[in-house]
Coordinates of all heavy atoms in Angstrom, one line a residue:
G287 N 76.6 -101.6 0.0 CA 77.0 -100.2 -0.5 C 76.4 -99.1 0.3 O 75.8 -99.4 1.4
D288 N 76.5 -97.9 -0.2 CA 76.1 -96.7 0.6 C 74.9 -96.2 -0.1 O 75.0 -95.7 -1.2 CB 77.4 -95.8 0.4 CG 77.4 -94.7 1.5 OD1 76.5 -94.7 2.3 OD2 78.3 -93.9 1.4
L289 N 73.7 -96.2 0.6 CA 72.5 -95.7 0.1 C 72.2 -94.4 0.9 O 71.9 -94.5 2.1 CB 71.4 -96.7 0.2 CG 70.0 -96.3 -0.4 CD1 70.0 -95.9 -1.8 CD2 69.0 -97.4 -0.1
R290 N 72.3 -93.3 0.2 CA 72.1 -92.0 0.9 C 70.8 -91.3 0.5 O 70.4 -91.5 -0.7 CB 73.2 -91.0 0.6 CG 74.6 -91.6 1.0 CD 75.7 -90.6 0.6 NE 77.0 -91.2 0.8 CZ 78.1 -90.7 0.3 NH1 78.1 -89.6 -0.4 NH2 79.2 -91.3 0.5
L291 N 70.1 -90.6 1.4 CA 68.9 -89.9 1.1 C 69.3 -88.4 0.9 O 70.1 -87.9 1.6 CB 67.9 -90.0 2.2 CG 67.4 -91.5 2.5 CD1 66.4 -91.5 3.6 CD2 66.8 -92.1 1.2
N292 N 68.6 -87.8 0.0 CA 68.7 -86.3 -0.3 C 70.2 -85.9 -0.4 O 70.7 -85.0 0.2 CB 68.1 -85.5 0.8 CG 66.6 -85.8 0.9 OD1 66.0 -85.9 -0.2 ND2 66.0 -86.0 2.0
E293 N 70.9 -86.6 -1.2 CA 72.4 -86.4 -1.4 C 72.6 -85.2 -2.3 O 72.1 -85.2 -3.5 CB 73.0 -87.6 -2.0 CG 74.5 -87.5 -2.4 CD 75.4 -87.4 -1.2 OE1 75.0 -87.6 -0.1 OE2 76.6 -87.2 -1.5
P294 N 73.3 -84.2 -1.9 CA 73.6 -83.0 -2.7 C 74.4 -83.4 -3.9 O 75.6 -83.9 -3.8 CB 74.4 -82.0 -1.8 CG 74.2 -82.6 -0.4 CD 73.9 -84.0 -0.5
L295 N 73.9 -83.2 -5.1 CA 74.6 -83.7 -6.3 C 75.7 -82.7 -6.8 O 76.5 -83.1 -7.6 CB 73.6 -83.9 -7.5 CG 72.7 -85.1 -7.2 CD1 71.6 -85.3 -8.3 CD2 73.5 -86.4 -7.2
A296 N 75.7 -81.5 -6.2 CA 76.8 -80.6 -6.5 C 78.2 -81.2 -6.2 O 79.2 -80.9 -6.8 CB 76.7 -79.3 -5.8
N297 N 78.2 -82.1 -5.2 CA 79.4 -82.8 -4.9 C 79.8 -83.9 -5.9 O 80.9 -84.5 -5.8 CB 79.3 -83.6 -3.5 CG 79.0 -82.6 -2.4 OD1 79.3 -81.4 -2.5 ND2 78.3 -83.1 -1.4
H298 N 78.9 -84.1 -6.9 CA 79.2 -85.3 -7.8 C 79.2 -84.9 -9.2 O 78.9 -85.7 -10.1 CB 78.1 -86.4 -7.5 CG 78.1 -86.8 -6.1 ND1 79.1 -87.7 -5.6 CD2 77.3 -86.5 -5.1 CE1 78.8 -87.9 -4.3 NE2 77.8 -87.2 -4.0
N299 N 79.4 -83.6 -9.5 CA 79.6 -83.2 -10.9 C 80.6 -82.1 -11.1 O 80.9 -81.4 -10.1 CB 78.2 -82.8 -11.6 CG 77.7 -81.5 -11.0 OD1 78.1 -80.4 -11.5 ND2 76.8 -81.5 -10.0
S300 N 81.2 -82.0 -12.2 CA 82.4 -81.1 -12.4 C 82.0 -79.7 -12.5 O 82.9 -78.8 -12.5 CB 83.2 -81.6 -13.6 OG 82.4 -81.6 -14.8
W301 N 80.7 -79.3 -12.7 CA 80.3 -77.9 -12.6 C 80.1 -77.4 -11.2 O 79.9 -76.3 -10.9 CB 79.1 -77.7 -13.5 CG 79.3 -76.9 -14.8 CD1 80.2 -75.9 -15.0 CD2 78.6 -77.1 -16.0 NE1 80.1 -75.5 -16.3 CE2 79.1 -76.2 -16.9 CE3 77.6 -78.0 -16.4 CZ2 78.7 -76.1 -18.2 CZ3 77.1 -77.9 -17.7 CH2 77.7 -77.0 -18.6
R302 N 79.9 -78.4 -10.3 CA 79.7 -78.2 -8.9 C 78.3 -77.4 -8.7 O 78.3 -76.5 -7.9 CB 80.8 -77.3 -8.3 CG 82.2 -78.0 -8.5 CD 82.6 -78.7 -7.2 NE 83.7 -79.6 -7.5 CZ 83.6 -80.9 -7.6 NH1 82.4 -81.5 -7.5 NH2 84.6 -81.7 -7.8
V303 N 77.3 -77.8 -9.4 CA 76.0 -77.2 -9.3 C 74.9 -78.3 -9.2 O 75.2 -79.4 -9.4 CB 75.7 -76.3 -10.5 CG1 76.7 -75.1 -10.6 CG2 75.6 -77.1 -11.8
G304 N 73.7 -77.8 -8.9 CA 72.6 -78.7 -8.9 C 72.0 -79.1 -7.6 O 72.6 -78.8 -6.5
G305 N 70.8 -79.6 -7.6 CA 70.1 -80.0 -6.4 C 70.5 -81.4 -5.9 O 71.5 -81.9 -6.2
S306 N 69.6 -82.0 -5.2 CA 69.9 -83.3 -4.5 C 69.2 -84.4 -5.3 O 68.2 -84.2 -6.0 CB 69.3 -83.3 -3.1 OG 69.9 -82.2 -2.4
A307 N 69.7 -85.6 -5.0 CA 69.1 -86.8 -5.5 C 68.2 -87.4 -4.3 O 68.7 -87.4 -3.2 CB 70.2 -87.9 -5.8
E308 N 67.0 -87.8 -4.6 CA 66.2 -88.3 -3.6 C 66.9 -89.5 -2.9 O 66.9 -89.6 -1.7 CB 64.9 -88.9 -4.2 CG 63.7 -87.9 -4.3 CD 62.5 -88.5 -4.8 OE1 62.5 -88.8 -6.0 OE2 61.5 -88.7 -4.0
R309 N 67.4 -90.4 -3.8 CA 68.2 -91.5 -3.2 C 69.5 -91.6 -4.1 O 69.5 -91.3 -5.3 CB 67.5 -92.8 -3.3 CG 66.4 -92.9 -2.3 CD 65.5 -94.1 -2.6 NE 64.5 -93.8 -3.6 CZ 63.4 -93.0 -3.4 NH1 63.1 -92.6 -2.3 NH2 62.6 -92.8 -4.4
F310 N 70.6 -91.9 -3.5 CA 71.9 -91.9 -4.1 C 72.6 -93.2 -3.7 O 72.9 -93.4 -2.5 CB 72.7 -90.7 -3.7 CG 74.0 -90.5 -4.4 CD1 74.1 -89.9 -5.6 CD2 75.2 -90.9 -3.8 CE1 75.3 -89.7 -6.3 CE2 76.4 -90.7 -4.4 CZ 76.4 -90.1 -5.7
F311 N 73.0 -94.1 -4.7 CA 73.5 -95.4 -4.3 C 75.0 -95.5 -4.8 O 75.2 -95.4 -6.0 CB 72.7 -96.5 -4.8 CG 73.2 -97.9 -4.4 CD1 73.4 -98.2 -3.1 CD2 73.4 -98.8 -5.4 CE1 73.8 -99.4 -2.7 CE2 73.9 -100.1 -5.0 CZ 74.1 -100.4 -3.6
L312 N 75.9 -95.8 -3.9 CA 77.3 -96.1 -4.3 C 77.4 -97.6 -4.0 O 77.5 -98.0 -2.8 CB 78.2 -95.3 -3.4 CG 78.3 -93.8 -3.7 CD1 78.8 -93.1 -2.4 CD2 79.3 -93.6 -4.8
P313 N 77.4 -98.5 -5.0 CA 77.5 -99.9 -4.7 C 78.9 -100.3 -4.1 O 79.9 -99.6 -4.4 CB 77.3 -100.5 -6.1 CG 77.7 -99.5 -7.1 CD 77.4 -98.2 -6.4
A314 N 78.9 -101.3 -3.3 CA 80.2 -101.8 -2.8 C 81.0 -102.4 -3.9 O 82.2 -102.3 -4.0 CB 80.0 -102.8 -1.7
D315 N 80.3 -103.1 -4.8 CA 81.0 -103.8 -5.9 C 79.9 -104.2 -6.9 O 78.8 -103.9 -6.7 CB 81.9 -104.9 -5.5 CG 81.1 -105.9 -4.6 OD1 79.9 -106.0 -4.8 OD2 81.8 -106.6 -3.7
L316 N 80.3 -105.0 -7.9 CA 79.4 -105.4 -9.0 C 78.2 -106.3 -8.4 O 77.1 -106.0 -8.7 CB 80.2 -106.2 -10.1 CG 79.3 -106.7 -11.2 CD1 78.5 -105.7 -11.9 CD2 80.2 -107.4 -12.2
D317 N 78.6 -107.3 -7.5 CA 77.5 -108.1 -7.0 C 76.5 -107.3 -6.2 O 75.3 -107.6 -6.3 CB 78.1 -109.2 -6.1 CG 78.9 -110.3 -6.9 OD1 78.6 -110.3 -8.1 OD2 79.7 -111.0 -6.3
D318 N 77.0 -106.4 -5.5 CA 76.1 -105.5 -4.6 C 75.2 -104.7 -5.5 O 74.0 -104.5 -5.2 CB 77.0 -104.6 -3.8 CG 76.3 -103.9 -2.7 OD1 75.5 -104.5 -2.0 OD2 76.5 -102.7 -2.6
L319 N 75.7 -104.2 -6.6 CA 74.9 -103.4 -7.6 C 73.8 -104.3 -8.2 O 72.7 -103.9 -8.3 CB 75.8 -102.8 -8.7 CG 75.1 -102.1 -9.8 CD1 74.3 -100.9 -9.3 CD2 76.1 -101.5 -10.8
L320 N 74.2 -105.5 -8.5 CA 73.2 -106.4 -9.1 C 72.1 -106.7 -8.1 O 70.9 -106.7 -8.5 CB 73.8 -107.7 -9.6 CG 74.9 -107.5 -10.8 CD1 75.4 -108.9 -11.2 CD2 74.3 -106.8 -12.0
L321 N 72.4 -107.0 -6.9 CA 71.5 -107.2 -5.8 C 70.5 -106.0 -5.7 O 69.3 -106.2 -5.6 CB 72.2 -107.5 -4.5 CG 71.3 -107.7 -3.3 CD1 70.6 -109.1 -3.4 CD2 72.2 -107.8 -2.0
F322 N 71.1 -104.8 -5.6 CA 70.3 -103.6 -5.5 C 69.3 -103.5 -6.6 O 68.1 -103.2 -6.4 CB 71.3 -102.4 -5.5 CG 70.7 -101.1 -5.4 CD1 70.2 -100.6 -4.1 CD2 70.4 -100.3 -6.5 CE1 69.6 -99.3 -4.0 CE2 69.8 -99.0 -6.4 CZ 69.4 -98.6 -5.1
L323 N 69.8 -103.7 -7.9 CA 68.9 -103.6 -9.0 C 67.7 -104.6 -9.0 O 66.6 -104.3 -9.3 CB 69.7 -103.7 -10.3 CG 70.6 -102.5 -10.7 CD1 71.5 -102.9 -11.8 CD2 69.8 -101.3 -11.0
R324 N 68.1 -105.8 -8.5 CA 67.0 -106.8 -8.5 C 66.0 -106.5 -7.5 O 64.8 -107.0 -7.6 CB 67.7 -108.2 -8.2 CG 68.4 -108.7 -9.4 CD 69.3 -110.0 -9.2 NE 70.1 -110.2 -10.4 CZ 71.3 -110.7 -10.4 NH1 71.9 -111.1 -9.3 NH2 71.9 -110.8 -11.5
E325 N 66.3 -105.8 -6.4 CA 65.4 -105.4 -5.4 C 64.6 -104.1 -5.6 O 63.7 -103.8 -4.9 CB 66.1 -105.3 -4.0 CG 66.7 -106.6 -3.5 CD 65.6 -107.6 -3.1 OE1 64.6 -107.2 -2.6 OE2 65.9 -108.8 -3.4
L326 N 65.1 -103.4 -6.6 CA 64.6 -102.0 -6.8 C 63.1 -102.0 -7.3 O 62.8 -102.8 -8.2 CB 65.5 -101.4 -7.9 CG 65.5 -99.9 -8.1 CD1 66.1 -99.2 -6.8 CD2 66.2 -99.5 -9.3
P327 N 62.3 -101.2 -6.7 CA 60.9 -101.1 -7.2 C 60.9 -100.8 -8.7 O 61.7 -100.0 -9.2 CB 60.3 -100.0 -6.5 CG 61.1 -99.8 -5.2 CD 62.5 -100.3 -5.6
E328 N 60.0 -101.5 -9.5 CA 60.0 -101.4 -10.9 C 59.8 -100.0 -11.5 O 60.3 -99.7 -12.6 CB 58.8 -102.2 -11.5 CG 59.3 -103.5 -12.1 CD 58.1 -104.3 -12.7 OE1 57.5 -103.7 -13.6 OE2 57.9 -105.5 -12.3
D329 N 59.1 -99.2 -10.7 CA 58.8 -97.8 -11.3 C 59.8 -96.8 -10.8 O 59.6 -95.6 -11.0 CB 57.4 -97.4 -10.9 CG 57.1 -97.5 -9.4 OD1 58.0 -98.0 -8.7 OD2 56.0 -97.0 -9.0
E330 N 60.8 -97.2 -10.1 CA 61.8 -96.2 -9.6 C 62.6 -95.6 -10.7 O 63.3 -96.3 -11.4 CB 62.7 -96.9 -8.6 CG 63.9 -96.1 -8.0 CD 63.4 -95.0 -7.0 OE1 62.2 -94.9 -6.8 OE2 64.3 -94.4 -6.4
P331 N 62.5 -94.2 -10.9 CA 63.3 -93.6 -11.9 C 64.8 -93.8 -11.6 O 65.2 -93.7 -10.4 CB 62.9 -92.1 -11.8 CG 61.7 -92.1 -11.1 CD 61.7 -93.3 -10.2

Side-chain angles (χ1 to χ4, degrees):
D288 199 359
L289 180 60
R290 302 177 187 167
L291 299 181
N292 300 319
E293 173 73 4
L295 290 173
N297 299 335
H298 302 283
N299 71 83
S300 58
W301 252 324
R302 306 260 163 257
V303 298
S306 301
E308 269 183 290
R309 287 166 283 281
F310 184 85
F311 183 55
L312 290 155
D315 53 28
L316 178 56
D317 287 342
D318 193 45
L319 174 57
L320 297 182
L321 178 68
F322 179 80
L323 288 169
R324 283 171 192 148
E325 295 292 324
L326 198 67
E328 254 184 58
D329 55 352
E330 174 74 353

